């Protein structure tokens, strides 16, 4: 039992409870035993182009603005508490906090750490733009490759914050000595905005708390009623586990980008009524810079708008203005990303070009043709794995890189079981389906009435604007549904958009046939009460997740690396582990979890040959080519099998059919690493193999 005596804080001892894990979260190394107390001491450390129009349209008085502020704070508090309950983050040492950022999260956070620990901000920026550690021996611009603008911004804010607080002598964090028990050495744990990890996570949760306010504005504006904003916000909370995973994975790119997508879609909704192109462009840019996947989401948006235009619901002039804004934003993003070729060779870029000359289904064909033509001309193959992934969804095609994705549950088809589909399992269904039914009914009514004359001035114009909003959001919902069905991870777009559409039950245009406003509101509150039954169950299940991050085998590994290897010793191994090695030890690595680069994928394939059925001599030569000095072997990667055909040796059988049936090399190495390698460290999980130096006859 771990015990500590509390001296400094007002925290009450945490208790041990059974944890009910979310299906979206599966980080290993968790313990149900909390660290109940601390003892120690305190250390001192050192626009008018659309938004104002929306504010006016919503009637955002000071009291309404205060309500938005409350929504923001509640959203941030909710995320913070879920994260703290799951990790016991405030009681972790600096090393444990870094280990808690697994796989891609650790890679992204490492660049934030580099900038804040550099002698100056500009020195740190130069280091990440001329990085020698991530893909040894290459020197790469990680700001170009990895969408690291969030880390650059947060690092600059952290340096300014600690500098100002240090100048005035204001303490920014409190630190305690943590007695971990069980024969483990005590560690220091810090809490407060002066702690780098705490500052980073707090900013992410503040941004996503702000997103809750945007959801309220979005639902209110779309439905024409503030009650619609309440419906959208409650739907999101009731389906929180199916709508976001930011509370488990703060550093992922979607945690920074998705709030700006919600803002961008709100501005687009406003633009379909009026105009606010500058604001749209800025939100576009803020969405694209942090996330490499943004281009695919914006492709669905362009397709939905183009379909609305083809169907006659969107004027040509407005469509052109939106397209020009998208093209300008793409160009600016291309410049800020130092000419990242994936932007120019994307389906999104091709669609923006071909849409000017092609109509209907011809636009789809020309987009695909232009995309592959640009990729060929520019010699870009960084996104080839995306084409392979899409191809594998509709055919029997599979290769090594495709299976690396499809064998992960989050990249598989969305499950059809009732309990896994948010539309049916959770509260969104209770309002989403009535809103959608009313939408279809009312659109048919509008179509019928459009042929009739009416004495009121310009009624057709008013109807067409509302129809445009409904048609676009319906098509966007369909696009998000297709993405979610193809790749389960992308239901994080579908569920929130259903919450937005649910606000339409408060729309007088769609549901005025219920009767006067009082009757409609009565129906809304009744449905909301029914929805709250399952919704509160969902929330209570999340609140019941209690645990503490602990990964002693990896801690032993990282401590050994720090104490027993040279600072420039080169490591290779499983991608998630390599991110932790780079973050916590600063050692050069040859592969990492950011898979969106053709060269990196080939490097990883060579490294993962350790888990194939090839000979030890072949694998040793592969590692020597990369300049690897130490390989970190994990038995779990050799034996783990998520489903038939998805263990690493089986994945390699697709690429290396001549060795099918042989015992995997990793099985031999786990028993005896000689004669090809030498074991220099091992524990229950990890085994560090020393790779021989290359000799002239092996070069």
């Amino acid at each position: 039992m771990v015990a500590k005596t509390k001296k400094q804080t007002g925290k009450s001892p945490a208790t041990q409870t059974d944890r009910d894990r979310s299906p979206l979260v599966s980080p290993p190394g968790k313990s149900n035993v909390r660290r109940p107390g601390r003892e120690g001491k305190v250390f001192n450390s050192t626009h008018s182009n659309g938004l104002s129009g929306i504010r006016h349209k919503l009637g955002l008085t000071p009291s309404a603005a205060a309500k938005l502020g409350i929504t923001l704070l509640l959203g941030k508090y909710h995320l913070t508490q879920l994260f703290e309950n799951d990790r016991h983050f405030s009681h972790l040492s600096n090393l444990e906090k870094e280990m808690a950022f697994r796989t891609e999260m650790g890679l992204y956070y490492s660049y934030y750490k580099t900038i804040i620990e550099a002698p100056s901000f500009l020195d740190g920026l130069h280091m990440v733009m001329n990085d020698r550690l991530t893909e040894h021996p290459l020197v790469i611009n990680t700001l170009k490759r990895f969408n690291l603008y969030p880390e650059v911004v947060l690092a600059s804010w952290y340096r300014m914050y600690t500098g100002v607080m240090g100048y005035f002598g204001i303490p920014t964090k409190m630190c305690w000595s943590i007695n971990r028990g069980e024969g483990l050495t005590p560690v220091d744990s810090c809490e407060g905005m002066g702690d780098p990890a705490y500052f980073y996570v707090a900013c992410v949760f503040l941004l996503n708390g702000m997103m809750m306010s945007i959801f309220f504005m979005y639902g209110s504006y779309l439905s024409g009623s503030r009650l619609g904003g309440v419906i959208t916000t409650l739907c999101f909370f009731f389906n929180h586990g199916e709508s976001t995973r930011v509370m488990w994975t703060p550093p992922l790119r979607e945690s920074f980008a998705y709030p700006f997508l919600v803002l961008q879609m709100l501005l687009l909704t406003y633009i379909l009524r009026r105009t606010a192109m500058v604001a749209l462009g800025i939100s576009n840019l803020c969405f694209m810079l942090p996330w490499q996947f943004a281009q695919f989401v914006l492709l669905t948006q362009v397709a939905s708008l183009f379909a609305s235009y083809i169907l006659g619901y969107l004027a040509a002039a407005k469509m052109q203005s939106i397209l020009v804004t998208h093209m300008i934003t793409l160009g600016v993003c291309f410049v800020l990303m130092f000419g990242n070729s994936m932007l120019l060779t994307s389906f999104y870029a091709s669609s923006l070009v071909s849409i000017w000359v092609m109509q209907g289904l011809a636009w789809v064909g020309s987009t695909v043709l232009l995309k592959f033509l640009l990729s060929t001309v520019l010699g870009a193959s960084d996104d080839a794995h995306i084409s392979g992934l899409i191809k594998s969804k509709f055919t029997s095609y599979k290769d090594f890189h495709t299976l690396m994705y499809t064998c992960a549950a989050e990249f598989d088809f969305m499950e059809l079981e009732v309990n896994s589909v948010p539309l049916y399992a959770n509260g969104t269904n209770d309002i989403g389906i009535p809103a959608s039914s009313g939408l279809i009914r009312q659109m048919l009514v509008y179509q019928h009435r459009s042929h009739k004359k009416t004495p009121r001035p310009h009624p057709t114009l008013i109807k067409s604007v509302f129809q445009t909003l409904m048609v676009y959001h319906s098509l966007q919902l369909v696009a998000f549904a297709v993405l979610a069905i193809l790749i389960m991870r992308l239901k994080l777009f579908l569920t929130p958009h259903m919450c937005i559409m649910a606000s339409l039950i408060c729309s007088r245009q769609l549901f005025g046939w219920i009767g006067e406003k009082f009757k409609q509101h009565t129906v809304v509150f009744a449905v909301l009460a029914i929805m709250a039954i399952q919704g509160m169950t969902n929330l209570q299940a999340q609140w019941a997740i209690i645990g503490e991050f602990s990964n002693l085998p990896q801690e032993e590994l990282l401590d050994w690396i720090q104490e027993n290897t040279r600072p420039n010793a080169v490591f290779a191994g499983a991608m998630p582990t390599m991110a932790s090695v780079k973050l916590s030890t600063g050692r050069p690595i040859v592969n990492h979890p950011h898979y969106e680069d053709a060269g990196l994928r080939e490097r990883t394939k060579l490294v993962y040959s350790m888990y194939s059925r090839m000979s030890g001599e072949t694998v040793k030569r592969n590692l020597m080519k990369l300049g690897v000095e130490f390989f970190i072997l994990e038995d779990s990667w050799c034996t783990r099998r998520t489903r038939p055909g998805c263990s690493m040796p089986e994945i390699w059988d697709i690429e290396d059919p001549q060795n099918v049936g042989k015992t995997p090399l990793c099985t031999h190495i786990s028993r005896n690493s000689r004669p090809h390698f030498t074991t220099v460290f091992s524990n229950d999980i990890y085994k560090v193999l020393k790779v021989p130096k290359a000799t002239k006859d092996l070069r």
Side-chain angles (χ1 to χ4, degrees), residues 24-25 27 83 86-87 100-103 105 200 204-205 244-256 492:
L24 289 178
V25 187
F83 185 69
D86 182 55
R87 307 285 175 85
F101 296 142
R102 298 186 65 256
T103 190
M105 296 186 288
Y200 185 98
V204 174
F205 290 156
T244 182
R245 54 180 185 167
V246 66
M247 59 283 194
W248 318 127
T249 57
L252 287 187
R253 302 299 82 186
E254 65 200 50
S255 302
F256 295 99
L492 301 177

